[in-house]
Amino acid sequence: MPVLLLTVALGLTACTTGPLTPVPANVTILGLNDFHGNLAQSDFTPVDGKTIKAGGIEAIAAEISDARKTNPNTIFVGGGDLIGASPINSGLLRDEPAVYALNSMGMKVSALGNHEFDQGLDELLRMQNGGCNSNDAAKACQYEPTYTGATFKWIGANVTYNAASGKTGMPFAPYIIQDINGLKIAFVGAVTKTTPGIVSPDGVKMLNFTDEAAAVNRYIPEIKAKKPDAIIMLIHEGGDIVRKDAAGNDINKDVNYSTVGCKVLDEKTPIVDIAKRVDPAVSAIISGHSHQGYNCLVPDPTGKDRIVIQGEQYGHLLQRLDLVVDKANHRVMEVKAANLVVNYDARKANGTLDASMTTILNKANAKVTAISSVQIATLGDQQIRRGYTNGAEDRKIESALGDVIADALLYATKDQGAQIGLMNPGGIRKDLPGTVNPGNAVTFGDVFAVHPFGNTTTVVTLTGQQIKDLLEQQWSGGNATANKLLQVSEGFSYKYTLSNPDGQRVNIADITLNGTPISATATYRVATNNFLAGGGDNFSVFKSATNVTQLPGLSDTDVLSKYLKAFGPSLKNVVKGRIIKL
């Protein structure tokens, strides 16, 4: 499909300009971010507003193949979160089918993403290097008897071993230089420094995640000394477009993934600060994490505009950079940028889907069909949804599905004395079911899509004061910008005032259990998942809990399935209102 290209003519070079006569060459870089093991296509709404099926390995591979036919100097790279939080046909197989698909597409390098660390460093190293020695033997090496690992390399300049690990150095390379038909393209990587707060802390306790820009800049002199023809940054951190002005009026309504040269990325989002500090030798920045589509310009430290691009999620878009490099003098002469819609519907209609990817998809589906198709329950409604604001997922509000999951946690742990259920919204990955089901049926595949992490259940004891402090952490510290509103069970309610200072947004007198204000000194049994119980999502108060009861045999899918079987038909028009914003 025709695309508009953002073009930046670069006065600054990746390396020192030499006296030789320029020898121009064209390089195409295709980037995939936040794929999350989405082997199959899914709904996407392009600029014209007509929803299509987009992404899926069959269409992505065909798009890459077409690009290589047009320009043999084409390289396929990743922006992180290629695996983790995946649909059942990849997630139940430990994302091995997704890695095999990316291998077959010829991916060469990817930034680490936070979700790559979902199962801990050891498991990520297995995903990189291969083998079956997994922390979940029931899922590993089920797609193939032997998992051979990723042929591409994950990189992260800001991930190092800490002193407590007993190791030195880095578990992953900070950068890689790829040779493509004699052209040397350097890729330097970073992952959001917030990773320890948004994955299970135990899995990364041996690692430091440092400032992204500073870490990348540390390696630029070393990279430049190797005389690459271009330096591209791959980072799993992102931003969003400013949608309202200071007065609350809607602005930038027409800016979207296809808009070229936008200068409206929110200054408060991390990628803007990072991009402004990254060395000018980096010619463009491929980003991820925020699941947004944008093709924007952010000034580098010298004030010159530099491309910062992100391709939404699930393979709906591919980020495309077209570079003109001077291979004689090892410099970048020009960069063009565009987000390409991976239109599955169009390719299916014209018969251009990649057949080798169809084989991988069909095999993965066959491996999990017997489990995923089992009907768990019938709901009283066609769908129970997460929180949404203006059509976009919003984790800062109470949701119907969040309430149901918190209720399920409480129901499943009554025998442990649980009085309150708490759920993190980031652990709710899909609506239930993901698409409206006129028959109101819910399968195990639907439940797994909601809970793909394999978290288990934990019951802890907290004082009333600790519960108050825990609620305050929704808007402070590592959550100061994310504002992750914990979802709460029936009978538990509180009020908050967002405009109040940190630590004063909730009055303990406004926190009630079964209609009675909680006491600061009394103790309460709280059910949650092991991710939150370990201090995940920056809820460190959980680390001070007492009487911690781990229930490793009770997974998040077990908890929700059990509740749906018992109460599914009564779940109609689920009423929210447990959390009241003043």
Side-chain angles (χ1 to χ4, degrees):
M1 62 180 295
V3 296
L4 295 174
L5 293 175
L6 170 59
T7 305
V8 176
L10 297 176
L12 291 167
T13 63
C15 297
T16 303
T17 304
L20 301 176
T21 301
V23 180
N26 297 315
V27 178
T28 296
I29 300 170
L30 297 178
L32 174 69
N33 66 277
D34 296 279
F35 178 56
H36 291 288
N38 275 253
L39 305 178
Q41 71 282 358
S42 54
D43 287 345
F44 175 68
T45 305
V47 178
D48 61 12
K50 298 177 182 178
T51 299
I52 62 170
K53 294 294 184 183
I57 57 176
E58 299 163 290
I60 296 170
E63 196 77 38
I64 295 167
S65 178
D66 284 355
R68 288 184 176 128
K69 290 174 184 175
T70 303
N71 181 9
N73 298 334
T74 294
I75 185 167
F76 179 38
V77 302
D81 277 9
L82 303 178
I83 60 174
S86 305
I88 193 169
N89 58 359
S90 188
L92 202 61
L93 301 169
R94 214 42 154 185
D95 276 316
E96 291 170 13
V99 172
Y100 282 134
L102 297 172
N103 288 349
S104 296
M105 292 180 207
M107 179 171 278
K108 296 299 183 183
V109 58
S110 176
L112 292 162
N114 56 285
H115 280 285
E116 267 84 356
F117 291 95
D118 278 343
Q119 309 303 329
L121 175 61
D122 288 345
E123 182 68 354
L124 176 54
L125 290 172
R126 186 188 76 86
M127 296 304 297
Q128 176 72 84
N129 301 317
C132 298
N133 186 18
S134 169
N135 58 6
D136 194 339
K139 295 176 182 176
C141 294
Q142 301 303 308
Y143 179 78
E144 290 282 359
T146 301
Y147 171 64
T148 56
T151 54
F152 59 91
K153 297 298 183 183
W154 274 292
I155 58 174
N158 68 323
V159 183
T160 61
Y161 285 112
N162 59 31
S165 71
K167 299 180 180 181
T168 59
M170 308 172 72
F172 299 92
Y175 66 89
I176 285 179
I177 299 177
Q178 287 291 317
D179 186 306
I180 177 165
N181 297 324
L183 302 172
K184 294 168 65 177
I185 310 299
F187 296 92
V188 58
V191 60
T192 173
K193 65 183 179 183
T194 67
T195 295
I198 53 179
V199 301
S200 293
D202 279 352
V204 295
K205 63 185 178 182
M206 71 295 293
L207 298 175
N208 289 326
F209 293 81
T210 63
D211 182 86
E212 305 92 342
V216 165
N217 288 344
R218 187 177 306 120
Y219 289 97
I220 296 300
E222 182 178 320
I223 295 171
K224 290 171 69 174
K226 297 180 180 180
K227 296 186 178 181
D229 300 308
I231 304 173
I232 304 297
M233 182 176 177
L234 307 177
I235 180 169
H236 193 71
E237 184 56 278
D240 198 1
I241 294 165
V242 177
R243 298 296 182 186
K244 293 184 181 294
D245 63 18
N249 301 311
D250 290 336
I251 56 175
N252 303 320
K253 291 185 292 184
D254 298 325
V255 178
N256 55 61
Y257 66 86
S258 68
T259 302
V260 298
C262 63
K263 295 189 177 184
V264 292
L265 285 181
D266 191 339
E267 294 280 339
K268 298 177 182 178
T269 51
I271 195 62
V272 175
D273 171 66
I274 293 168
K276 287 182 175 180
R277 292 187 290 119
V278 165
D279 194 295
V282 171
S283 297
I285 298 174
I286 288 177
S287 66
H289 191 49
S290 55
H291 290 216
Q292 302 298 308
Y294 51 74
N295 182 8
C296 292
L297 294 171
V298 177
D300 69 18
T302 70
K304 286 188 174 290
D305 284 336
R306 177 168 49 196
I307 291 167
V308 179
I309 188 169
Q310 185 179 161
E312 207 239 9
Q313 61 185 356
Y314 306 155
H316 296 157
L317 302 174
L318 283 177
Q319 304 164 70
R320 176 168 176 156
L321 301 177
D322 286 293
L323 282 61
V324 179
V325 301
D326 174 3
K327 61 186 298 184
N329 297 293
H330 308 298
R331 67 188 184 101
V332 177
M333 301 169 69
E334 183 179 87
V335 184
K336 297 179 180 179
N339 272 316
L340 308 179
V341 176
V342 182
N343 192 324
Y344 173 90
D345 286 340
R347 287 194 173 276
K348 183 178 181 180
N350 63 28
T352 59
L353 294 173
D354 187 292
S356 66
M357 293 297 114
T358 304
T359 299
I360 292 176
L361 176 61
N362 288 344
K363 180 177 178 177
N365 286 340
K367 291 282 185 180
V368 302
T369 294
I371 298 173
S372 64
S373 61
V374 173
Q375 183 169 332
I376 297 297
T378 299
L379 302 179
D381 224 332
Q382 293 184 350
Q383 187 181 48
I384 305 173
R385 305 189 76 208
R386 296 168 292 171
Y388 290 90
T389 298
N390 297 325
E393 185 192 357
D394 188 348
R395 298 177 182 178
K396 299 187 289 292
I397 61 175
E398 182 184 359
S399 74
L401 184 53
D403 285 354
V404 167
I405 293 171
D407 288 347
L409 280 163
L410 180 60
Y411 177 73
T413 55
K414 285 285 190 181
D415 60 345
Q416 298 293 328
Q419 300 163 279
I420 300 166
L422 296 177
M423 178 63 195
N424 57 306
I428 309 172
R429 304 303 293 193
K430 292 285 184 181
D431 298 329
L432 185 71
T435 56
V436 173
N437 184 342
N440 296 19
V442 171
T443 66
F444 179 78
D446 296 322
V447 173
F448 187 92
V450 172
H451 283 319
F453 295 109
N455 287 330
T456 56
T457 306
T458 305
V459 184
V460 304
T461 295
L462 295 173
T463 66
Q465 184 62 47
Q466 286 176 313
I467 290 174
K468 193 265 190 199
D469 294 341
L470 183 73
L471 295 178
E472 294 286 1
Q473 288 187 321
Q474 295 175 118
W475 308 283
S476 64
N479 293 332
T481 56
N483 296 168
K484 299 162 184 171
L485 204 67
L486 294 172
Q487 307 295 292
V488 305
S489 58
E490 186 176 8
F492 184 74
S493 180
Y494 68 94
K495 301 174 184 177
Y496 71 96
T497 304
L498 198 55
S499 59
N500 282 359
D502 277 2
Q504 301 176 38
R505 294 186 172 96
V506 179
N507 187 331
I508 196 167
D510 292 328
I511 307 173
T512 61
L513 180 60
N514 300 321
T516 301
I518 65 172
S519 165
T521 56
T523 58
Y524 303 88
R525 292 288 278 167
V526 178
T528 188
N529 56 55
N530 63 305
F531 167 72
L532 272 180
D537 269 352
N538 302 298
F539 289 102
S540 60
V541 169
F542 272 118
K543 293 182 178 181
S544 300
T546 58
N547 299 324
V548 176
T549 304
Q550 303 278 2
L551 301 171
L554 190 60
S555 71
D556 45 14
T557 52
D558 293 334
V559 167
L560 185 55
S561 296
K562 180 179 180 181
Y563 187 77
L564 295 176
K565 288 176 181 177
F567 301 105
S570 66
L571 299 177
K572 182 177 178 64
N573 298 323
V574 177
V575 177
K576 304 185 293 296
R578 301 170 185 179
I579 304 171
I580 301 166
K581 182 179 180 181
L582 299 176

